[in-house]
Amino acid sequence: MKTLLLAALLPCLATVFANKVRWCAKSPQEYQKCMNLASVAPAFACVLKQNSLECIIAIKSGEADAITLDGGDIYVAGLKNYGLHPIIAEDYGTSSDTCYYAVAVVKKGSGFNFSDLKGKKSCHTGLGKSAGWNIPIGTLLSMGLLEWSGIEDKPVEEAVEAYFSASCAPGAQRGSKLCQLCKGDCSRSHTEPYYDYTGAFTCLEEDAGQVAFVKHLTVPESKKSNYELLCKDDTRAPIDSYKTCHLARVAAHAVVTRKDQALADLIWNSLNSVQGFDLFSSDGYRSAKNLMFKDSTTKLVRLPSNMNSFLYLGAEFMAIVHSLKREESPPAPSSAITWCAVGNDEVAKCDMWAGNSATPEGPVINCQSASTFEECLEKIMRKEADAVAVDGGQVYTAGKCGLVPAMVEQYDEGECGKSDALASSYYAVAVVKSGSQQSAWENLKGKRSCHTGVGRTAGWNMPMSHVYKELNNCNFNSYFPSGCAPGANINSSFCQQCAGSGKAVGDDDKCKASGNERYYGYAGAFRCLVENAGDVAFVKHTTFQENTGANSPPWASGVNADDYRLVCPHKKVSVPVSDYASCNLGKVPAHAVVTRPEIRNRVVQFLKEQEARFGASCTDLFKLFQSETSKNLLFKDSTKCLQEVPAGTSFEKFLGDDYMNSMNVLRKCNENTPELEKSCTFHSCQQKN
């Protein structure tokens, strides 16, 4: 009943505070600073709670809108039951930009090193916080200095209590050894004098503790000569040597809110409009520091729109947090590979693959569905899936996100089985109808275009890199004023000609980058041209052959080779579709299977075994490189075999200099960079795996 009442009240609350950002403060001092801000910036209102978790709950319920959190709390806020996400990062200037270093600070001459911390007194910023808890405790565990057999035995807090002789870790259970050194109530808020970075340093400064786990900018300039850093190699270093002596480099604190683009815009615009008030100063608030924002912040940086806690914090940091949580250990991982499938037809083929490959011992492949290939890549990063076959543009994004190419499709049967096989490739081509006015490249300007998908190699990257060189700007819709490029913004001119799934009403699949959009992929882009939705189709050189003759789908019935021509970038006349070797937009690498580096060998072995059973030469009913309901499902239908990409091959080397140059040209256009890639490359400390 309470839930229903709250749901009914939320629209009213949204109306009342439609033009206000309700900032959540977790101490009286922070609340006072917020109120002072609100007095000069009416766009803000203030809500007082006891701690970060209460603020997270308040933002989730719509009682508040925003708060700045550290990595450990960003993790909590991003859990499914809260669903908050980071939208703005603190930037600490040239010393660390949107990252900071977690360090262990001690008094100079105190006579011990990092491996000697057992039995010492420790000062922590707060239980579950990044620099003060997750990183140092995770480091002690990974180095074998702190003994802990896992959650089944006891909580990690008990192991830490046994390791240090006494501590102050605000937020720990009162009365425990983790609160023994605290000066106040041991709460995870500014009511505890030893809370946060400044508090943990004060704990060390006042000799309550012997080591303080803080960030690299914590020690005041005037006091640096009296303190040192403990390095993991058991040496000590000056405070300013944090770049070579630290426990980890982690993502900066960030503003979190509900998943609401309009609210995110309001928060960003409101913060940017503040005048006559120093957001990054805590002077005059009863010695409290880092109120609302860290005092070391130099500016705020807007995050990509699809950023979430996982992408922001990185897989390595997330793994540390998971390992320290009070939760049961997950079941032992299955030996089966989880394949990611995009669209209904791919899921159906994957399910058929799983059914045919199952053994008496159980499945060898599981299927995970996603709405886009970018979602597949994120699922692989999260370990919710293991592998997917993607084209060159998606290999580029996967590489930027820390994934690696493991196997590559081979389209020349003569190269299969060779130890020195030539790398497989294909040509990107521009196809027009015979007799059309588009006989030369320059005649394409102003025409309707059909693309396999935004970010795809033959359908977007290669033609648009040519267009960019002509325009010298990113205004591609001035060149092609109408078209279909699945994956584009639904309001874009590049979605105008898309067909969707064919539903009469409520078609949510229009312009989606999946097989549910009829004009998606190679066959889809060619169909767009065949059905007169566009004047030129950007596809691969075998697309015409794969969709005509005996391979002809119903929509291509009656299509003949003489009906279509290729347009060449440097020729005045079009040529037959068979002349692709002399008339193309570039020769590009074949599609590749991408995965996480640590399971690359397992994926390679799995695919070799599966190809032996279901490859092009197999006689089974199920064929890995054949699609029944649509084209190029899971793998390209023209695939003859899969070849191993040598271990250690980077995505840059796999794609080659020419393709990398084309991609780097396109990345000058922000709208051509997938949101996932923007998130993966946002800050330099991002941990990919």
Side-chain angles (χ1 to χ4, degrees):
M1 188 66 184
K2 288 182 179 178
T3 303
L4 292 174
L5 182 59
L6 178 59
L9 286 174
L10 280 178
C12 302
L13 289 170
T15 301
V16 172
F17 295 103
N19 296 314
K20 293 215 181 252
V21 174
R22 293 164 296 165
W23 202 271
C24 195
K26 55 184 185 293
S27 71
Q29 300 100 310
E30 196 162 69
Y31 182 75
Q32 185 59 56
K33 179 178 177 179
C34 181
M35 291 298 290
N36 290 345
L37 168 64
S39 69
V40 299
F44 291 90
C46 307
V47 176
L48 177 62
K49 295 295 178 182
Q50 293 299 310
N51 50 52
S52 297
L53 182 58
E54 285 193 11
C55 280
I56 290 170
I57 294 170
I59 295 170
K60 162 68 175 176
S61 67
E63 184 184 347
D65 298 316
I67 186 176
T68 306
L69 299 175
D70 93 317
D73 289 330
I74 291 171
Y75 165 83
V76 173
L79 296 174
K80 288 183 179 179
N81 47 327
Y82 302 122
L84 307 187
H85 70 128
I87 60 168
I88 300 167
E90 294 181 341
D91 189 309
Y92 307 120
T94 55
S95 67
S96 52
D97 52 69
T98 57
C99 309
Y100 64 89
Y101 296 89
V103 296
V105 178
V106 293
K107 286 190 173 180
K108 187 174 286 187
S110 49
F112 58 88
N113 291 314
F114 193 77
S115 64
D116 304 318
L117 286 176
K118 186 172 184 179
K120 300 298 186 291
K121 296 180 291 182
S122 60
C123 305
H124 307 261
T125 60
L127 192 72
K129 293 181 77 67
S130 296
W133 184 266
N134 294 329
I135 295 301
I137 303 308
T139 302
L140 289 169
L141 285 169
S142 66
M143 293 178 66
L145 299 173
L146 172 61
E147 295 181 3
W148 183 51
S149 58
I151 291 294
E152 295 82 358
D153 178 36
K154 59 187 174 184
V156 70
E157 290 90 337
E158 291 185 18
V160 177
E161 282 186 280
Y163 186 78
F164 294 113
S165 61
S167 305
C168 177
Q173 185 176 356
R174 294 175 189 178
S176 71
K177 283 175 64 179
L178 293 180
C179 285
Q180 188 174 325
L181 301 182
C182 291
K183 199 172 185 178
D185 59 2
C186 195
S187 67
R188 207 166 172 269
S189 75
H190 290 103
T191 58
E192 165 53 58
Y194 289 167
Y195 169 70
D196 206 2
Y197 300 110
T198 303
F201 175 68
T202 303
C203 168
L204 172 66
E205 186 179 30
E206 295 180 349
D207 290 321
Q210 296 166 283
V211 59
F213 299 110
V214 291
K215 67 170 182 169
H216 71 288
L217 297 171
T218 302
V219 182
E221 188 69 36
S222 61
K223 299 178 181 179
K224 287 181 178 178
S225 61
N226 299 322
Y227 294 88
E228 291 179 312
L229 301 178
L230 293 184
C231 311
K232 290 190 288 186
D233 64 358
D234 266 356
T235 61
R236 289 188 174 210
I239 293 298
D240 286 334
S241 297
Y242 52 81
K243 289 185 178 180
T244 56
C245 178
H246 57 263
L247 306 184
R249 194 172 185 218
V250 294
H253 292 211
V255 177
V256 302
T257 189
R258 298 179 294 281
K259 188 72 173 175
D260 181 332
Q261 190 59 47
L263 179 57
D265 291 341
L266 175 63
I267 294 168
W268 173 250
N269 293 333
S270 298
L271 287 169
N272 274 322
S273 66
V274 172
Q275 294 182 345
F277 187 88
D278 191 348
L279 289 171
F280 313 134
S281 173
S282 302
D283 291 342
Y285 297 96
R286 286 177 282 165
S287 301
K289 298 292 184 183
N290 305 313
L291 301 176
M292 296 184 67
F293 298 96
K294 294 293 155 278
D295 296 341
S296 53
T297 305
T298 59
K299 65 179 179 179
L300 299 175
V301 181
R302 186 80 183 263
L303 300 180
S305 60
N306 81 325
M307 188 71 85
N308 57 44
S309 59
F310 175 86
L311 293 174
Y312 185 73
L313 298 172
E316 186 172 310
F317 180 85
M318 295 289 280
I320 291 173
V321 176
H322 277 297
S323 70
L324 301 179
K325 287 294 166 187
R326 290 178 180 271
E327 50 195 22
E328 292 300 318
S329 297
S334 166
S335 60
I337 291 293
T338 300
W339 202 268
C340 194
V342 178
N344 300 333
D345 290 343
E346 280 209 345
V347 171
K349 181 178 178 181
C350 188
D351 287 341
M352 188 177 296
W353 182 8
N356 279 272
S357 64
T359 67
E361 290 75 32
V364 298
I365 179 172
N366 297 315
C367 300
Q368 173 71 267
S369 65
S371 59
T372 65
F373 279 102
E374 282 67 38
E375 185 181 339
C376 271
L377 298 182
E378 187 175 342
K379 284 180 180 287
I380 294 171
M381 293 163 64
R382 286 179 174 273
K383 303 182 181 180
E384 296 171 6
D386 295 320
V388 66
V390 294
D391 95 322
Q394 293 152 341
V395 170
Y396 182 93
T397 296
K400 289 290 188 179
C401 290
L403 305 182
V404 297
M407 298 284 277
V408 60
E409 295 176 346
Q410 175 57 258
Y411 311 125
D412 183 349
E413 192 169 2
E415 295 296 320
C416 292
K418 289 185 178 180
S419 59
D420 58 345
L422 295 173
S424 193
S425 59
Y426 61 93
Y427 293 98
V429 296
V431 183
V432 297
K433 288 187 176 181
S434 298
S436 68
Q437 296 179 348
Q438 292 77 251
S439 59
W441 179 268
E442 54 264 31
N443 299 138
L444 294 179
K445 188 174 183 179
K447 301 301 187 291
R448 301 168 302 162
S449 55
C450 302
H451 306 263
T452 58
V454 172
R456 297 287 297 270
T457 300
W460 186 267
N461 297 336
M462 299 311 291
M464 292 324 210
S465 64
H466 281 276
V467 171
Y468 181 89
K469 290 170 185 175
E470 282 190 40
L471 296 176
N472 202 29
N473 65 55
C474 304
N475 190 19
F476 294 149
N477 60 0
S478 69
Y479 203 92
F480 296 120
S482 179
C484 179
N489 186 298
I490 189 61
N491 298 316
S492 163
S493 61
F494 284 108
C495 284
Q496 287 180 4
Q497 301 301 124
C498 291
S501 64
K503 293 178 182 177
V505 292
D507 191 352
D508 294 330
D509 292 312
K510 182 174 180 178
C511 207
K512 290 289 179 65
S514 82
N516 297 339
E517 161 58 61
R518 287 178 292 174
Y519 291 167
Y520 174 69
Y522 300 112
F526 184 49
R527 181 177 183 178
C528 168
L529 177 64
V530 170
E531 295 182 346
N532 295 314
D535 303 305
V536 58
F538 298 107
V539 291
K540 65 186 174 83
H541 72 281
T542 59
T543 300
F544 183 87
Q545 174 188 338
E546 292 166 1
N547 290 277
T548 56
N551 300 316
S552 176
W555 54 263
S557 178
V559 171
N560 298 307
D562 293 341
D563 297 334
Y564 294 88
R565 308 273 290 179
L566 301 182
V567 174
C568 321
H570 307 297
K571 295 182 180 180
K572 295 294 183 182
V573 294
S574 59
V575 302
V577 293
S578 58
D579 289 356
Y580 54 82
S582 63
C583 178
N584 59 73
L585 307 180
K587 193 176 183 180
V588 295
H591 289 208
V593 174
V594 295
T595 186
R596 297 184 301 280
E598 72 270 18
I599 62 167
R600 178 252 176 214
N601 293 344
R602 190 156 66 92
V603 169
V604 168
Q605 184 59 36
F606 163 78
L607 286 173
K608 286 181 177 179
E609 293 169 356
Q610 292 300 295
E611 186 184 355
R613 289 190 61 185
F614 307 118
S617 61
C618 76
T619 57
D620 286 49
L621 291 176
F622 175 74
K623 296 183 185 297
L624 202 54
F625 310 133
Q626 191 175 77
S627 305
E628 300 295 336
T629 57
S630 186
K631 294 287 184 180
N632 304 309
L633 301 177
L634 303 182
F635 300 94
K636 284 168 64 175
D637 295 342
S638 55
T639 304
K640 303 305 179 185
C641 63
L642 296 175
Q643 292 180 317
E644 182 176 351
V645 177
T649 301
S650 67
F651 77 96
E652 295 98 336
K653 184 177 180 181
F654 173 80
L655 293 175
D657 291 341
D658 290 343
Y659 191 83
M660 286 297 296
N661 289 338
S662 293
M663 290 300 295
N664 292 335
V665 163
L666 282 180
R667 287 305 183 258
K668 295 177 182 178
C669 306
N670 186 57
E671 64 272 20
N672 278 278
T673 305
E675 290 299 317
L676 175 63
E677 189 178 318
K678 291 178 185 177
S679 298
C680 287
T681 58
F682 173 74
H683 45 206
S684 56
C685 57
Q686 190 90 356
Q687 301 292 336
K688 307 301 190 304
N689 285 282

